[in-house]
Amino acid sequence: MVDWFFGHMDQVANAHIAGLLFCAGQQEQTSVETDGRNPINKTIAYRNAGGTALK
């Protein structure tokens, strides 16, 4: 899910979404700590690439 959102930020912006929040809804789901820091790494790379303008 994280990979899809960061790979389609133009579509996210077109949907007028201003922010994304990722967290585990239940104990058995993946968290930042158990996902190899993927959400953190994607966020850093997205910010360093300049982000996406709000629409």
Side-chain angles (χ1 to χ4, degrees):
M1 185 65 79
V2 170
D3 294 335
W4 187 91
F5 276 109
F6 279 103
H8 296 87
M9 289 305 282
D10 56 332
Q11 292 177 34
V12 173
N14 286 337
H16 305 287
I17 297 172
L20 299 172
L21 175 65
F22 297 100
C23 64
Q26 297 184 1
Q27 287 179 319
E28 61 274 354
Q29 292 179 324
T30 302
S31 68
V32 173
E33 293 82 14
T34 63
D35 195 23
R37 296 180 46 94
N38 187 42
I40 294 170
N41 294 335
K42 294 282 185 189
T43 301
I44 292 169
Y46 174 73
R47 181 182 181 277
N48 289 342
T52 301
L54 295 176
K55 309 246 174 161

